[in-house]
Amino acid sequence: MKKRVFIIIILLSFLVCSLFYKREIKQLYYSYQEYVEIKNSIVWSSEKKLKLSDFSYEPEKTQMDNVAVTVGIISVHQISEKITHRSTTVFKPENSFVTSKTDSLILRIAQARFDLCELYRRKMEFKIGSLNLREIKKTNSDTITKYEELYYDLFEKEWDKFNEIEKKELNKGLIKMEKYIKQELK
């Protein structure tokens, strides 16, 4: 009987705490998810350049540029008196591969995709940061999520334009993309 009462008291305590600290518990959960994603990824930095060893070698797969580069933006936000938004550009090695180890453009293409994603992450951060200048009560999590999705979609559309370049023009197109990214990331 004492054991049963003890279990009921613990369950009720947990329920009461989860009601009062719902926002904090939710924030801890999202921070943990962010930690796990970052732990299994390579985080973008201006000093970090991708290497062939960051990719799986899968010669049997067919890929237009001999490389599949999986990048993304991890974001966590909180809205109170002010919007707090934290985001990180990541490269996912477990989902990225090369089909050739002799193609000299592979790493440049991969780095350009990674860098372009960082550029759009920065644009997204600027836009979300500007929401603090408006009335916070008009901003909710859905608004921030829509901006996160919008800027990732804009990144993908920009990359799709690059992918439309014909093979013979690839080097020129890559040089143009690299110059644009370098200028914008200053």
Side-chain angles (χ1 to χ4, degrees):
M1 183 73 171
K2 288 182 181 182
K3 191 174 184 180
R4 185 182 239 169
V5 171
F6 180 71
I7 291 173
I8 290 173
I9 290 172
I10 288 183
L11 289 174
L12 285 173
S13 299
F14 181 74
L15 180 63
V16 168
C17 285
S18 64
L19 289 173
F20 284 112
Y21 298 105
K22 183 179 176 182
R23 180 181 288 178
E24 288 80 4
I25 292 170
K26 194 175 181 181
Q27 194 64 34
L28 282 172
Y29 172 72
Y30 289 133
S31 292
Y32 175 73
Q33 282 184 316
E34 176 191 35
Y35 164 76
V36 169
E37 286 292 322
I38 288 174
K39 182 178 162 245
N40 296 319
S41 303
I42 295 173
V43 174
W44 188 93
S45 82
S46 58
E47 295 85 35
K48 174 68 177 157
K49 300 300 175 204
L50 297 174
K51 306 176 297 263
L52 276 176
S53 60
D54 295 328
F55 296 83
S56 299
Y57 176 56
E58 300 183 20
E60 70 285 349
K61 290 193 176 181
T62 53
Q63 190 67 22
M64 186 175 77
D65 298 325
N66 293 325
V67 62
V69 185
T70 304
V71 296
I73 301 171
I74 299 170
S75 301
V76 177
H77 65 268
Q78 183 176 9
I79 302 171
S80 52
E81 296 86 42
K82 177 182 168 178
I83 298 169
T84 305
H85 190 266
R86 179 176 68 236
S87 64
T88 308
T89 302
V90 294
F91 167 79
K92 305 273 203 168
E94 73 276 1
N95 299 333
S96 301
F97 62 87
V98 295
T99 61
S100 169
K101 289 186 176 182
T102 59
D103 186 341
S104 62
L105 294 177
I106 286 178
L107 287 177
R108 285 179 53 211
I109 291 169
Q111 192 64 51
R113 181 163 167 79
F114 197 21
D115 293 346
L116 187 65
C117 190
E118 169 63 12
L119 174 60
Y120 276 88
R121 184 201 66 81
R122 290 180 186 188
K123 290 180 178 190
M124 175 193 71
E125 280 293 332
F126 181 77
K127 180 62 178 178
I128 291 172
S130 73
L131 295 175
N132 278 315
L133 303 175
R134 297 187 340 194
E135 194 174 317
I136 296 295
K137 295 196 187 320
K138 292 181 181 178
T139 303
N140 59 32
S141 274
D142 289 341
T143 304
I144 294 173
T145 300
K146 285 178 183 169
Y147 279 120
E148 291 168 343
E149 291 169 355
L150 170 71
Y151 280 90
Y152 190 80
D153 288 345
L154 290 171
F155 152 70
E156 286 291 357
K157 285 179 183 170
E158 183 80 21
W159 189 252
D160 286 343
K161 288 181 200 172
F162 174 76
N163 278 335
E164 292 171 3
I165 297 172
E166 291 186 30
K167 191 97 169 152
K168 63 183 177 188
E169 296 293 316
L170 188 59
N171 193 44
K172 263 193 228 177
L174 186 56
I175 289 170
K176 183 178 175 183
M177 173 72 76
E178 289 168 332
K179 283 181 182 178
Y180 166 72
I181 291 169
K182 186 176 181 180
Q183 178 65 32
E184 293 294 314
L185 285 180
K186 282 184 180 180

